Amino acid sequence: MRFTPFPTLLSLWLCAGIISGTSHNNARLQPRRGASMLINPPAQPNLPSIDAAKAAASAVHLNLDNIQGDILIGMRKRAELFFFFHISNTVQFKSKLKSVILPLVTSTADLLDVSSQPTTAVNIAFSQTGLNILNIHDSLNDIPFSGGQFNDASNLGDLTTNWNNIVATLASLKSKLGSSISEIYSLQGAARPGNQEGHEHFGYLDGISNPAVQGFQSPLPGQAVVPTGEILVGESGDNVTRPAWAKDGSFLVFRQLKQLVPEFNKFLTDNPIRAPGLTQQQGSDLLGARMIGRWKSGAPVFLAPTVDNPALGADPNRNNDFTYGLPGQTTGNLTDQTNCPFSAHIRKTRPRADLGLPEKNNHHIVRGGIPYGPEVTPLESFFHKTQFERGLAFVSYQSNIANGFQFLQQKWADNSKFIHAGVGLDPIIGAAQGAQRAVTGLDLTNLSRPITLTTDFVVSRGGEYFFSPSLSAISNTLSA
Ligand code: HEM
Ligand SMILES: *[C@@H]1O[C@H](CO)[C@@H](O)[C@H](O)[C@H]1NC(C)=O
Ligand SMILES: *[C@@H]1O[C@H](CO)[C@@H](O)[C@H](O)[C@H]1NC(C)=O
Ligand SMILES: *[C@@H]1O[C@H](CO)[C@@H](O)[C@H](O)[C@H]1NC(C)=O
């Protein structure tokens, strides 16, 4: 990723149904009313209807016409283009923000009703430097946001040398770009083809477990319920002092996370779990599932501990309905890792009963990312080596970066002592500046046996912290 250390940035993206040629199913990409522009995998909770959402939202005074469309919908985009811009002329840009961009910005209400969906949705967010160049000097009181993600890289376990060719690339790009707004970087994401739609590049179904935001969704079994203010700034539960115009916005964390898929697959092949009754292939599949905490179908290993159960994975009423607690347990934090390692990616990032029941956790994010890059080629599989970059264009929304993304990455995923001493790092996203990482709990036959990961299968290529303002803030404050 090539943009973070630079002063004035904004990202603008299309959550688009009209990028033809990037999906297996172009018919579904045609801009026509009647078919939703969003994917709706069976395993994910449904989005509320516009009427249901408006009724629930009015009870908590959420204005769905004012909240940008991408914040609350989770991982449902077919294709998305991320554009990163430098604002080089504030006056010109402000006027274009109001006359050109604002009319295109899609609200949450617009997306919930197929008849009001645009053919291409547009959303926009600003980094601190972007706000500065718009002469917005109010502090949003979010320390990671004001510092920018590059300055936070060491806290996240990133190896910053991966970021450094940023400088040369950007300088050369910038010299070629125009005067008022110039694109400095772009990344195209797309749902994977065929039956891999909704799956990330390692092959696991993604986007199953996002929190239900009070007043937006009613929760399915096992879904966390969070106050509006845990995701939206200035709403109930966000107890930080904010400028009035920031209400109904959300902090957007963007990360370009490269995934080394052939290398990950080789690791699974080389290290099958040798549990009684499992073939070597089943042992490899089990290792991968225990690293994530879910099988490729989405079925949680906690409920399907030795083999995948695709019917469970596809059922949104059951695939998130577990706590890691003992059957019937509704209080306390009595848990073990026989069925799901403490280190598993989904357990590190949402420990459920490990923090006590009822769930005591105010570190939630709404994930809205999308895969990028091509499918693995036969040659890459054969040589177990990545040749073409692919990964996850990670996006998360939260009202507080230090409590949300940064907490999950730094305090949980990268922390070998969470949730207990000796657990090790998250084997998927845990990072130690490129150093090897030890993980326990993966080997079902010896839960204390550490497995050393010498390769990071997920490599941060950089990112930025943005603020996704409300439509009224764009109109009345940012473009004024
Ligand atoms: C390339 C990198 C990543 C991959 C391949 C990945 C993959 C997955 C998969 C397959 C799931 C299970 C599906 C689900 O429960 O919805 C999941 C869940 C989740 N991931 Fe990631 N993820 C990545 C990065 C991250 C990052 C950077 C974070 C935050 C720091 C994160 C936080 C979460 C959370 C909070 C959940 C849901 C846990 C739950 O509610 O039980 N992921 N991820
Ligand atoms: C904000 O609320 C959280 C709980 O949601 C609490 O842990 C934190 O101390 C509060 N912060 C302030 C400044 O009141
Ligand atoms: C579990 O609960 C006990 C007290 O009930 C507490 O001392 C302990 O720290 C908790 N463990 C975790 C991992 O939260
Ligand atoms: C489990 O692994 C640990 C750490 O490698 C080792 O010390 C112990 O002997 C193993 N236990 C068994 C029963 O193999």
Side-chain angles (χ1 to χ4, degrees), residues 231-254:
I231 306 301
L232 295 162
V233 165
E235 289 289 349
S236 159
D238 172 22
N239 54 12
V240 177
T241 308
R242 318 281 190 179
W245 62 264
K247 185 172 190 289
D248 284 349
S250 185
F251 290 100
L252 184 173
V253 171
F254 182 85

Side-chain angles (χ1 to χ4, degrees), residues 265-289:
N265 288 337
K266 178 161 198 308
F267 173 76
L268 299 187
T269 304
D270 290 349
N271 296 280
I273 293 176
R274 299 184 195 281
L278 295 187
T279 64
Q280 176 152 345
Q281 180 65 52
Q282 286 171 325
S284 293
D285 294 346
L286 179 58
L287 175 64

Side-chain angles (χ1 to χ4, degrees), residues 332-335 353-356 418-420:
N333 59 0
L334 200 62
T335 58
D354 296 331
L355 292 174
F418 185 78
I419 178 121
H420 302 291

Side-chain angles (χ1 to χ4, degrees), residues 337-378:
Q337 58 174 344
T338 310
N339 285 3
C340 179
F342 290 123
S343 58
H345 173 57
I346 65 164
R347 193 160 179 174
K348 276 278 192 180
T349 53
R350 183 185 166 204
R352 304 188 189 212
D354 296 331
L355 292 174
L357 288 176
E359 194 172 331
K360 292 178 193 64
N361 176 3
N362 62 354
H363 303 286
H364 295 101
I365 57 180
V366 174
R367 291 172 301 130
I370 190 166
Y372 70 91
E375 294 295 297
V376 173
T377 64

Side-chain angles (χ1 to χ4, degrees), residues 99-151:
S99 62
V100 180
I101 298 176
L102 180 61
L104 295 175
V105 171
T106 308
S107 73
T108 304
D110 291 339
L111 286 178
L112 294 182
D113 194 348
V114 173
S115 69
S116 60
Q117 283 179 352
T119 51
T120 299
V122 174
N123 291 108
I124 187 165
F126 300 85
S127 69
Q128 179 66 66
T129 47
L131 293 181
N132 294 350
I133 205 143
L134 294 180
N135 297 318
I136 305 294
H137 299 299
D138 300 326
S139 172
L140 286 172
N141 283 326
D142 190 281
I143 291 166
F145 174 77
S146 8
Q149 200 178 111
F150 185 73
N151 293 323

Side-chain angles (χ1 to χ4, degrees), residues 218-234:
S218 31
L220 288 179
Q223 210 177 353
V225 180
V226 302
T228 49
E230 209 168 315
I231 306 301
L232 295 162
V233 165

Side-chain angles (χ1 to χ4, degrees), residues 440 443 445-450:
T440 61
D443 183 351
T445 67
N446 184 348
L447 294 168
S448 57
R449 180 168 80 86

